[in-house]
Amino acid sequence: MEQLHDMAGHLIRRLHQISVSVFSEQMKLAGIDLTPVQFAALSTIDAHPDIDQATLAGLIAYDRVTIGGVVDRLEAKGLVTRRVSQQDRRARSVRLTDRGAQVLASSRPLVMAFQDDILTGLTADERAQLMALIRKTTEAGNAQSRAPLQHPKTG
């Protein structure tokens, strides 16, 4: 059993559980009904208005098949609108509503404030070191993911 508790995959899964728990609790305390994936989607839609759902999925490293459900829930909450894309009639473009922009503006400072809580027990230097190592390994392993991160197209 001790071997399990020293495995990278197990520890990363546990840290993910802690991260989701901290996020959920803090959002609940603030009266904001958002999941971590919904927050990532709103942040990305804000940065890329009228983004299509497939591109949104790539920019947040989320499965293209299930991103529609995330957007469905955001639309049901009145946080985004969808319409047929002007560039590709088969695609749907997504944009924040005024309410979505307000919820995002309210939640951003909260999310930033509790990041240290996710890495509780570490000093500021240790958090910075861990974040650098997590970035390095996720970038190196990106292609192994079922939903690899796609970087925004430039130009």
Side-chain angles (χ1 to χ4, degrees):
M1 190 67 170
E2 281 104 38
Q3 267 188 323
L4 171 69
H5 297 286
D6 288 330
M7 292 181 174
H10 178 75
L11 291 170
I12 292 165
R13 182 187 64 78
R14 289 286 298 126
L15 187 55
H16 179 259
Q17 286 177 319
I18 292 164
S19 174
V20 170
S21 180
V22 169
F23 185 100
S24 299
E25 184 63 25
Q26 293 301 315
M27 291 294 108
K28 183 179 177 183
L29 288 172
I32 300 173
D33 181 23
L34 277 184
T35 67
V37 171
Q38 290 171 352
F39 175 79
L42 288 178
S43 295
T44 303
I45 294 165
D46 184 48
H48 303 277
D50 295 319
I51 189 171
D52 67 86
Q53 290 181 186
T55 302
L56 172 61
L59 291 177
I60 64 171
Y62 203 72
D63 185 69
R64 289 175 72 160
V65 174
T66 54
I67 194 67
V70 173
V71 176
D72 286 345
R73 287 182 284 286
L74 291 172
E75 188 174 41
K77 293 176 183 183
L79 304 180
V80 301
T81 59
R82 279 190 283 203
R83 62 183 177 151
V84 175
S85 171
Q86 294 179 334
Q87 289 78 24
D88 180 353
R89 305 298 289 165
R90 299 166 296 172
R92 308 271 305 264
S93 64
V94 186
R95 174 175 282 269
L96 292 183
T97 62
D98 289 342
R99 177 165 160 59
Q102 290 169 349
V103 168
L104 182 59
S106 297
S107 60
R108 264 191 183 133
L110 296 172
V111 172
M112 295 306 294
F114 64 69
Q115 293 305 297
D116 289 349
D117 295 342
I118 293 168
L119 301 178
T120 190
L122 299 180
T123 66
D125 286 344
E126 289 169 335
R127 285 192 300 270
Q129 183 180 17
L130 178 61
M131 291 302 297
L133 292 171
I134 290 171
R135 249 183 246 102
K136 182 177 181 178
T137 193
T138 55
E139 288 170 9
N142 190 49
Q144 297 174 35
S145 174
R146 285 185 315 116
L149 178 67
Q150 304 292 318
H151 297 283
K153 293 177 175 75
T154 57

